[in-house]
């Protein structure tokens, strides 16, 4: 499968797993990736495997995903707000259909990453990548040592190596360029210690002047909204 610049990092592999600490923005990353690939004419499926203590869920955007041609693989909408650690039966479709780009949104930390162990052997046989999303404004991953701890915890629980780092440092509507720059420092430090490349910096559209932000920028729309924002 081929992909056109400037976002070849996104479609470089057929399967992309999106992981990270609770509240880092991994679900926002997964949804935006799926929509962007679909806009480029790709056949895309988004698997919502965030089944441990879910707050923001890919399945909350089911209507938008359907409108844009993205197939959502998730548990029943009747269980949308429940903490039920069961896997959607259609997950095997993503692993077997080589014509489809699959985005896999897993739960936070090691507990959420454990769901991947069930599919590890099948994933290892596929063309895949796993991204670790960092938000330097989250207290439990705001330092290099704590971020490394969570990254290693996810790798150990899933049995799969992280292959890319996504900086998604934000403070919701109060995000500034300085927040993003602080996240770049953290992401680069983790990258230098692990050898895992920083693939992009997620930035909300319309955030304002970001002229000082170096590197690859992934501009996103916010779809994961708090109940009072909908």
């Amino acid at each position: 499968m081929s992909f056109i610049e400037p976002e070849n990092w996104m479609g470089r592999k057929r399967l992309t797993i999106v992981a990270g600490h609770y509240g880092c923005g991994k679900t926002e990353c997964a949804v935006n990736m799926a929509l962007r690939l679909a806009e480029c004419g790709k056949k895309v499926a988004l698997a919502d495997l965030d089944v441990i203590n879910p707050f923001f869920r890919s399945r909350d955007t089911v209507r938008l995903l359907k409108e844009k041609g993205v197939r959502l693989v998730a548990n029943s909408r009747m269980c949308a707000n429940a903490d039920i650690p069961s896997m959607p039966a259609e997950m095997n479709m993503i692993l077997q259909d080589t014509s489809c780009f699959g985005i896999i949104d897993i739960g936070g930390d090691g507990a959420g990453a454990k769901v991947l162990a069930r599919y590890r052997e099948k994933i290892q046989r596929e063309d895949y990548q796993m991204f670790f999303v960092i938000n330097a404004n989250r207290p439990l991953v705001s330092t290099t040592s704590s971020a490394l701890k969570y990254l290693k915890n996810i790798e150990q629980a899933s049995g799969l190596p992280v292959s890319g780092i996504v900086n998604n440092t934000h403070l919701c509507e109060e995000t500034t360029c300085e927040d993003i720059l602080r996240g770049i420092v953290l992401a680069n430090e983790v990258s230098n210690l692990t050898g895992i490349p920083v693939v992009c910096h997620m930035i909300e559209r319309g955030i304002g002047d970001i002229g000082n932000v170096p590197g690859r920028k992934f501009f996103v729309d916010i779809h994961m909204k708090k109940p009072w924002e909908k």
Side-chain angles (χ1 to χ4, degrees), residues 50-54 57 59 75 77-85:
D50 191 351
V51 295
I52 306 296
N53 297 321
R57 304 163 298 268
R59 52 190 179 269
N75 286 321
R77 288 285 293 172
M78 294 178 66
C79 302
N81 296 308
D83 178 1
I84 301 177

Side-chain angles (χ1 to χ4, degrees), residues 28-155:
E28 196 72 77
C29 180
V31 170
N32 273 273
M33 284 182 63
L35 293 172
R36 193 68 52 83
L37 285 167
E39 288 172 2
C40 293
K42 307 301 179 183
K43 179 181 177 182
V44 186
L46 172 58
D48 182 354
L49 302 191
D50 191 351
V51 295
I52 306 296
N53 297 321
F55 184 73
F56 288 126
R57 304 163 298 268
S58 301
R59 52 190 179 269
D60 287 341
T61 61
V62 58
R63 183 176 300 177
L64 172 64
L65 294 171
K66 185 175 181 180
E67 289 175 356
K68 300 300 182 180
V70 176
R71 181 172 181 176
L72 177 65
V73 173
N75 286 321
S76 169
R77 288 285 293 172
M78 294 178 66
C79 302
N81 296 308
D83 178 1
I84 301 177
S86 61
M87 295 298 100
E90 290 182 295
M91 179 61 191
N92 286 320
M93 177 277 296
I94 290 182
L95 299 176
Q96 296 169 1
D97 185 354
T98 58
S99 69
C100 174
F101 280 92
I103 309 296
I104 303 172
D105 176 20
I106 66 172
D109 304 347
K114 283 182 180 179
V115 301
L116 286 180
R118 173 176 177 178
Y119 305 104
R120 181 172 58 244
E121 292 185 3
K122 291 182 179 180
I123 291 173
Q124 288 173 328
R125 292 196 293 266
E126 295 295 329
D127 190 30
Y128 80 96
Q129 58 191 357
M130 182 155 76
F131 293 157
F132 178 64
V133 181
I134 286 179
N135 180 351
N137 283 332
R138 297 294 294 175
L140 294 181
V141 287
S142 61
T143 66
T144 305
S145 60
S146 59
L148 279 171
K149 176 183 176 181
Y150 275 92
L151 187 155
K152 296 300 182 183
N153 187 240
I154 287 170
E155 288 186 323

Side-chain angles (χ1 to χ4, degrees), residues 152-214:
K152 296 300 182 183
N153 187 240
I154 287 170
E155 288 186 323
Q156 183 177 12
S158 66
L160 299 169
V162 170
S163 54
I165 296 169
V166 174
N167 168 35
N168 183 38
T169 300
H170 66 88
L171 204 58
C172 297
E173 65 275 4
E174 297 181 12
T175 306
T176 66
C177 183
E178 286 68 30
D179 289 308
I180 300 169
L181 291 172
R182 186 168 61 257
I184 289 176
V185 172
L186 177 61
N188 286 339
E189 289 176 350
V190 173
S191 176
N192 290 335
L193 289 171
T194 60
I196 300 170
V198 177
V199 294
C200 71
H201 307 295
M202 277 179 63
I203 302 173
E204 181 185 355
R205 296 184 197 276
I207 197 173
D209 182 16
I210 56 168
N212 294 325
V213 175

